[in-house]
């Protein structure tokens, strides 16, 4: 079975990027180990603090963030980091050539129920002019990413990654610690009859979302003419992994509650990396008003509405938005 290194070389990734990715993944393997120890390591449950987004931090959020921060800042490859668990950018090596954004432990409320969680990351070039503590270099559209992916800590530890030459899936072989290629060039089926949304927010959605979901729920007798199934892991990594494996549409749409939060998911380290993976697998990733990867960020923790997955289903959903 092909190793990660060989696939990255075949896809034309430069040596320094390969070394950076391998460093990042060494951190993820450490997280995988901590996560698997669960209650035995005393790592479950919450801390007493909140992150900048007002979410209570889990102990594993803080541990995972520290592991990635330490390994990346000591690597020398990275000029600065932005993380869900850090208020501001973290300056690293002033001569580093890359910027890394990450969600160290996505879906961390699942830790207490031994369910799916993961690390999401994206990598971009660091501009020469940029000072390591300057957040403005992170404010580039997702089209500038050179690599993105996630590590899913599930029954097996899996990596989904792209460097812009297709999306590939790897499985961590815990007997020797390497990620082995288990599915090259993922292709997300264009049609689906499965959707993922937190329906408890229904009353807060815009009318176009209400009618789209209403029509899915109407099934065979409604305008879509077929029955749909619904799934919700409550960890974006878990839901996106399912969509990459068998198709579907995943949505965290615009929500009217707070105009300052036009969606729940964060652009830099949730929406953009997943959009890159999805597009490289033949799917679509849109906010409802445009391609996610073309959104120009205005701040590092910016939130965006997210509609992504099977091409024809995302197009169908966008059809409702265009009519509005
Ligand atoms: O990081 C935010 C997140 O945990 C995502 O992983 C997940 O898709 C979503 O929030 C779950 O939201 P809710 O709590 O509404 O189910
Ligand atoms: Mn998250």
């Amino acid at each position: 079975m092909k190793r990660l290194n060989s696939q990255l070389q075949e896809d034309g990734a430069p040596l320094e990027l390969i070394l950076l990715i391998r460093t990042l993944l060494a951190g993820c393997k450490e997280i995988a180990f901590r996560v698997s120890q669960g209650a035995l390591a005393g790592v479950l449950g919450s801390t007493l603090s909140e992150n900048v987004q007002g979410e209570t931090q889990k102990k594993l959020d803080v541990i995972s963030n520290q592991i990635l921060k330490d390994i990346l800042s000591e690597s020398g490859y990275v000029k600065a980091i932005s993380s869900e668990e850090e208020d501001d950018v973290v300056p690293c090596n002033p001569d580093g050539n890359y910027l890394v954004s990450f969600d160290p432990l996505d879906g961390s409320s699942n830790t207490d129920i031994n369910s799916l969680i993961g690390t999401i990351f994206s990598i971009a070039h660091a501009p020469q002019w940029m000072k390591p503590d300057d957040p403005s270099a992170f404010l580039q559209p997702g089209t500038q990413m050179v690599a993105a992916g996630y590590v899913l800590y599930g029954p097996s530890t899996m990596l989904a990654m792209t460097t812009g030459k297709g999306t590939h899936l790897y499985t961590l072989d815990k007997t020797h610690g390497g990620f082995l290629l288990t599915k090259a060039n993922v292709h997300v089926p264009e049609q689906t009859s499965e959707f993922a949304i937190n329906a408890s927010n229904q009353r807060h959605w815009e009318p176009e979302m209400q009618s789209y979901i209403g029509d899915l729920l109407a099934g065979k007798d409604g305008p879509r003419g077929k029955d749909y199934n619904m799934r919700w892991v409550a960890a974006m990594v878990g839901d996106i992994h399912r969509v990459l494996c068998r198709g579907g549409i995943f949505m965290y749409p615009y929500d009217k509650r707070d105009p300052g939060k036009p969606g729940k998911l964060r652009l830099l380290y949730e929406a953009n990396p997943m959009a890159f993976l999805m597009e490289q697998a033949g799917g679509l990733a849109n906010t409802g008003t445009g391609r996610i990867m073309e959104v120009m960020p205005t701040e590092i923790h910016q939130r965006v509405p997210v509609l992504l997955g099977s091409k024809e289903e995302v197009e169908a959903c966008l059809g409702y938005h265009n009519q509005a």
Side-chain angles (χ1 to χ4, degrees):
M1 249 183 253
K2 206 189 275 175
R3 287 171 172 266
L4 172 72
N5 224 58
S6 314
Q7 185 63 47
L8 287 170
Q9 279 171 352
E10 202 173 290
D11 289 345
L15 179 63
E16 201 184 350
L17 178 62
I18 296 179
L19 293 171
L20 164 56
I21 290 169
R22 293 188 55 172
T23 304
L24 174 67
L25 293 174
C28 293
K29 286 186 230 173
E30 167 82 25
I31 298 173
F33 176 73
R34 300 292 186 100
V35 160
S36 71
Q37 289 291 90
L40 299 178
V43 293
L44 302 184
S46 300
T47 64
L48 295 175
S49 49
E50 283 187 350
N51 64 16
V52 68
Q53 345 246 349
E55 297 162 346
T56 305
Q57 287 177 308
K58 295 283 181 188
K59 288 181 193 159
L60 274 169
D61 284 323
V62 176
I63 294 168
S64 308
N65 185 55
Q66 195 64 46
I67 289 172
L68 294 180
K69 198 166 71 164
D70 288 348
I71 204 162
L72 291 173
S73 52
E74 285 159 16
S75 73
Y77 308 125
V78 180
K79 188 176 265 193
I81 284 165
S82 69
S83 161
E84 177 176 327
E85 305 302 337
E86 298 283 339
D87 298 7
D88 303 308
V89 304
V90 179
C92 301
N93 175 9
D95 298 321
N97 289 320
Y98 291 100
L99 302 174
V100 184
S101 300
F102 54 83
D103 177 352
L105 205 62
D106 179 62
S108 57
S109 65
N110 278 354
T111 52
D112 295 337
I113 58 165
N114 197 25
S115 190
L116 291 179
I117 43 182
T119 298
I120 313 174
F121 59 89
S122 74
I123 304 175
H125 286 294
Q128 290 284 323
W129 50 262
M130 173 208 167
K131 293 213 173 59
D133 60 352
D134 176 4
S136 65
F138 283 94
L139 307 182
Q140 21 180 338
T143 47
Q144 298 299 311
M145 288 180 280
V146 295
Y150 61 77
V151 178
L152 178 70
Y153 310 112
S156 50
T157 295
M158 290 193 72
L159 164 70
M161 206 174 62
T162 183
T163 55
K165 298 280 168 56
T167 291
H168 311 305
L169 297 180
Y170 305 81
T171 304
L172 178 62
D173 185 339
K174 290 186 178 164
T175 59
H176 63 70
F179 280 100
L180 301 181
L181 182 70
T182 41
K183 176 101 182 96
N185 295 307
V186 174
H187 181 74
V188 175
E190 273 142 43
Q191 295 177 348
T192 185
S193 46
E194 199 162 69
F195 68 101
I197 195 162
N198 183 344
S200 69
N201 296 324
Q202 189 238 343
R203 67 193 184 283
H204 305 297
W205 301 334
E206 296 274 73
E208 52 270 28
M209 212 54 216
Q210 305 267 2
S211 42
Y212 170 65
I213 298 293
D215 288 352
L216 299 187
L217 294 175
K220 257 210 291 284
D221 306 327
R224 300 302 306 283
K226 62 176 175 179
D227 289 336
Y228 282 78
N229 195 11
M230 200 193 84
R231 287 286 182 269
W232 190 249
V233 174
M236 190 191 199
V237 279
D239 281 305
I240 296 298
H241 189 69
R242 186 189 57 253
V243 173
L244 282 180
C245 291
R246 68 177 188 210
I249 180 169
F250 169 86
M251 296 157 280
Y252 220 114
Y254 181 84
D255 178 318
K256 290 179 296 206
R257 263 172 291 186
D258 177 354
K261 286 185 188 171
K264 179 174 188 193
L265 301 173
R266 277 59 53 110
L267 178 60
L268 260 56
Y269 40 80
E270 292 178 321
N272 265 339
M274 296 310 199
F276 196 12
L277 289 168
M278 203 54 74
E279 289 194 4
Q280 286 292 318
L284 292 183
N286 204 283
T287 61
T289 55
R291 197 176 159 216
I292 290 176
M293 282 168 61
E294 288 176 6
V295 174
M296 190 63 185
T298 52
E299 54 127 347
I300 59 172
H301 298 294
Q302 178 172 344
R303 296 170 193 257
V304 285
V306 164
L307 314 168
L308 41 77
S310 292
K311 184 169 177 289
E312 288 184 22
E313 197 53 52
V314 176
E315 279 166 354
C317 176
L318 292 174
Y320 289 73
H321 287 75
N322 294 338
Q323 275 165 25

